[in-house]
Amino acid sequence: MATKQQKKQPVLPDVSHGMDLLNRPGLNKGTAFTEEERSKYSLYGLLPPHVETLDEQVGRAYEAYKRKDDDLERHIYLRALQDTNEVLFYRLLLDHIEEMTPMVYTPVVAQACQQFSHIYRRPRGLFISYPLRDSIPALLRNRPNPQVDVIVVTDGGRILGIGDQGAGGLGIPIGKLSLYTLIGGIRPERTLPIILDVGTNNAERLKDPEYLGWRHERITGQAYFDFVDQFVQAVKQELPQTCLQWEDFATPHARPILKRYRDELLTFNDDIQGTAAVALGAVLGAVKVTGKSLKDQQIVMLGAGSAGIGVADGLRAAMVGEGLSEQEARSHFWVVDIDGLLHSGRKDLTPEQSVYAQSEERVSGWPRTAHGHIGLADVIGKIEATILIGLSTVGGAFTEAIVREMARKVQRPIIFPLSNPTIKSEAKADDLIPWTDGRALVATGSPFAPVSYGGKKIPIAQCNNVFIFPAMGLAVVASGASRVTDAMLLAAARALAENSPALKDSSASMLPALTDVRRVAAEIAVAVGLAAQKDGVAPKTTENELRQRVVATQWTPAYP
Ligand code: NAI
């Protein structure tokens, strides 16, 4: 029976008892409820008699996990555990972070989105469907927990590499928020996954009798943007301090949405801004390894789409930060798209692309194709490229001849084939290392196994957004930021670069190990918080105070 002491200090918030308590994943401790708690919360008889420690529970859960024989089953098991006992779920994940991160997030979450309606078990997050557009504030008020630090919202329009998944896209915010908690330490009950269910154009989903979303083709045009606006206005009203992260919106929606709202509330788009920050962090880390500075680099970029231009914009801002003028910084970029080098003679460039157009005089007399294009091989032949980045979706575009020519002129070529999935990677890591006699500093978009060369195993860093977004979440919560500015993203990239293992050992990975990513997230959060203060979007503190807040904010899974 409960003692006097426990009556004064309840072990758990005195809100539920018996089965009600066991059914609440945020409070449930399962077999780890102590004798006192079992008595206080009327749990006797509902649990087996042996009281377990969290470690013992983790051991048992891992054994059950190991019995699953395919990745989707592993995902389903982990999601079920998350919906049963969150502390246990996160401790299990933390103890097996390298093994399990791919199960809750990319790549396995893609399958979970495709199969969402078939593997659906219990509600998590909010479904905001177009037919309910006039009651969005009420839907938000119906959220499971009143306090929310981070929302991840998608419309399921462009999920990873698998396109339109309609309401099944909710799997992505759920998976992503798990990593906000696991790595950034955002408290699980203060995260909120949301799907804006505007229909789907995926014929397979529409004809699937088990599809759980709104069975309608996608809403488009002004009606779509009006709906998004109704949602944003409701978030501003109901949850004005909450960070709203946009996820996997199709490019024609993603950019206008970000542009419209980024100065209105605490918001960012991870596909655009997070991706650029990770790539930038990896490039800055690689440049540090070469012992040179960014402003000494000649950067060749294959691909001038949203990803390529986003990364180039980040690098350009970093160059200006190192003291170059805007014009000088631009002249360091050689951007090549499907129609060749961007130059001032081209009439097909968007305003974002025109920034990187080299002057026609500078390239006059360069070799051209029959169509008048200047190709990648010719750019590499003409200049002393130190950095080569691929965001073109063209598998194998970094040919042996191109790579060898680049490596002939620089001691440590920085080569980042970043396109996804593996088949679209501009080069394979196991080719780049021998083609450059082991000198290339390589990071990729898709995962590659370590490459054996010269008696060593060279680890290949994968540019994964997981290095940035959980840290951004931690940063804005701990610092009390009200906006996400460019300087904050640049600070995140710089802090990531400073934590590159390759700085200590030049044959080590360019990016931190997942086992170290929580510590790195805290370092990034401090840097981002300071940048927020400098930009006047967070209250001033000393660095030490900010660091203490970051440490206090980063939740660790343990029973109260
Ligand atoms: P996009 O379709 O907007 O842009 C593709 C660009 O590549 C265009 O500028 C196009 O002209 C160019 N291109 C296509 N074929 C070409 C050719 N034969 N030669 C030269 N240029 C060519 O695509 P987006 O969204 O910019 O993504 C590009 C790639 O980057 C995708 O594979 C995507 O998965 C990957 N990506 C990787 C990320 C990472 O962190 N590793 C993050 C975001 C995107």
Side-chain angles (χ1 to χ4, degrees):
M1 288 293 122
T3 63
K4 241 180 171 176
Q5 174 68 14
Q6 282 147 1
K7 272 196 183 127
K8 260 191 270 159
Q9 284 184 330
V11 192
L12 289 169
D14 198 7
V15 285
S16 49
H17 285 74
M19 281 311 292
D20 182 36
L21 177 57
L22 297 178
N23 282 328
R24 296 180 60 164
L27 299 176
N28 182 24
K29 297 166 70 170
T31 51
F33 277 117
T34 62
E35 296 291 349
E36 292 79 4
E37 289 163 342
R38 290 173 188 222
S39 162
K40 182 170 173 58
Y41 299 111
S42 315
L43 298 172
Y44 275 121
L46 295 176
L47 293 167
H50 178 67
V51 175
E52 283 185 307
T53 62
L54 179 53
D55 282 337
E56 285 168 335
Q57 287 182 310
V58 168
R60 201 152 45 78
Y62 189 53
E63 211 179 285
Y65 171 86
K66 278 298 201 193
R67 243 175 261 132
K68 306 291 170 197
D69 49 19
D70 79 62
D71 286 347
L72 187 60
E73 286 300 325
R74 292 182 189 105
H75 174 92
I76 294 170
Y77 174 76
L78 291 173
R79 281 283 298 105
L81 187 61
Q82 182 178 25
D83 288 342
T84 311
N85 178 336
E86 283 180 322
V87 168
L88 176 54
F89 167 74
Y90 283 110
R91 246 304 292 280
L92 178 68
L93 246 56
L94 203 53
D95 286 3
H96 303 277
I97 192 164
E98 288 185 320
E99 182 178 358
M100 294 186 180
T101 301
M103 299 299 146
V104 292
Y105 186 51
T106 58
V108 180
V109 72
Q111 277 179 64
C113 290
Q114 284 171 316
Q115 297 295 324
F116 183 84
S117 299
H118 296 265
I119 64 173
Y120 181 82
R121 300 288 190 276
R122 287 176 61 133
R124 175 167 285 266
L126 283 182
F127 293 84
I128 301 187
S129 298
Y130 188 75
L132 297 178
R133 62 191 171 282
D134 293 330
S135 19
I136 297 178
L139 300 185
L140 277 179
R141 282 195 289 275
N142 214 10
R143 61 190 178 268
N145 295 298
Q147 308 293 332
V148 181
D149 288 332
V150 183
I151 290 172
V152 176
V153 64
T154 186
D155 69 354
R158 197 227 56 174
I159 296 300
L160 304 169
I162 55 168
D164 181 357
Q165 296 301 323
L170 183 61
I172 288 283
I174 292 174
K176 206 142 189 175
L177 283 164
S178 301
L179 300 191
Y180 270 98
T181 298
L182 180 69
I183 295 166
I186 305 300
R187 297 190 67 89
E189 72 279 13
R190 297 178 72 111
T191 64
L192 181 62
I194 297 184
I195 175 87
L196 296 180
D197 184 9
V198 294
T200 178
N201 294 341
N202 183 327
E204 236 177 87
R205 297 293 161 275
L206 286 173
K207 69 171 197 270
D208 179 355
E210 291 187 34
Y211 179 62
L212 290 169
W214 181 45
R215 214 171 277 268
H216 194 284
E217 65 191 32
R218 271 183 184 274
I219 298 300
T220 56
Q222 197 52 45
Y224 173 88
F225 285 107
D226 288 347
F227 177 64
V228 170
D229 193 53
Q230 276 175 295
F231 167 68
V232 173
Q233 299 317 323
V235 170
K236 273 168 74 178
Q237 201 178 334
E238 295 296 326
L239 294 162
Q241 321 289 336
T242 299
C243 177
L244 177 62
Q245 192 235 282
W246 305 93
E247 180 70 23
D248 283 356
F249 285 70
T251 309
H253 290 149
R255 286 199 173 265
I257 289 173
L258 179 64
K259 198 164 170 212
R260 170 147 183 206
Y261 298 111
R262 66 172 304 187
D263 296 327
E264 249 183 61
L265 69 161
L266 178 61
T267 194
F268 73 104
N269 179 309
D270 187 54
D271 307 306
I272 299 172
Q273 296 163 293
T275 296
V278 176
L280 181 59
V283 173
L284 294 178
V287 170
K288 269 178 193 266
V289 173
T290 67
K292 303 247 167 65
S293 67
L294 186 62
K295 63 180 181 352
D296 301 325
Q297 308 299 313
Q298 292 295 328
I299 302 172
V300 178
M301 173 89 67
L302 189 71
S306 45
I309 295 297
V311 171
D313 286 348
L315 285 166
R316 182 166 54 94
M319 278 187 174
V320 171
E322 284 192 5
L324 292 191
S325 73
E326 186 51 42
Q327 211 46 46
E328 284 166 340
R330 289 176 185 202
S331 71
H332 287 246
F333 287 85
W334 305 84
V335 181
V336 178
D337 76 356
I338 195 162
D339 296 316
L341 180 71
L342 309 195
H343 59 76
S344 56
R346 279 180 58 175
K347 300 285 168 255
D348 59 333
L349 305 183
T350 63
E352 295 84 33
Q353 292 172 328
S354 302
V355 169
Y356 299 100
Q358 284 284 351
S359 78
E360 235 190 332
E361 302 81 72
R362 204 171 171 195
V363 299
S364 70
W366 284 26
R368 295 192 181 224
T369 65
H371 299 288
H373 302 161
I374 300 171
L376 177 66
D378 294 320
V379 173
I380 296 291
K382 282 288 183 185
I383 68 163
E384 200 169 291
T386 55
I387 300 179
L388 175 59
I389 299 174
L391 284 161
S392 67
T393 72
V394 186
F398 297 169
T399 61
E400 181 170 356
I402 287 175
V403 171
R404 285 196 184 276
E405 171 65 5
M406 179 181 180
R408 189 177 66 77
K409 293 186 270 190
V410 287
Q411 182 51 32
R412 303 237 42 197
I414 296 170
I415 308 182
F416 285 14
L418 293 181
S419 286
N420 285 319
T422 312
I423 191 163
K424 293 185 177 172
S425 185
E426 286 80 3
K428 292 196 211 123
D430 25 350
D431 285 332
L432 290 175
I433 300 296
W435 290 347
T436 59
D437 313 317
R439 288 179 286 125
L441 293 160
V442 178
T444 55
S446 305
F448 282 95
V451 176
S452 300
Y453 188 83
K456 272 193 184 173
K457 269 205 174 318
I458 303 176
I460 304 297
Q462 187 193 356
C463 282
N464 185 326
N465 293 21
V466 81
F467 293 111
I468 294 286
F469 69 80
M472 286 306 289
L474 176 58
V476 297
V477 174
S479 71
S482 59
R483 296 288 180 273
V484 176
T485 65
D486 285 340
M488 290 160 71
L489 289 154
L490 189 53
R494 286 210 169 103
L496 180 60
E498 273 156 28
N499 282 280
S500 167
L503 293 181
K504 292 199 185 114
D505 166 6
S506 71
S507 62
S509 176
M510 221 69 60
L511 290 164
L514 274 178
T515 43
D516 196 28
V517 73
R518 262 177 79 94
R519 180 194 66 77
V520 174
E523 291 300 325
I524 294 174
V526 173
V528 171
L530 289 173
Q533 295 183 8
K534 212 166 161 203
D535 266 0
V537 298
K540 282 257 181 247
T541 63
T542 64
E543 179 170 340
N544 209 19
E545 279 167 339
L546 179 63
R547 188 170 288 280
Q548 281 168 12
R549 282 190 203 180
V550 166
V551 170
T553 304
Q554 199 176 27
W555 178 81
T556 303
Y559 290 129

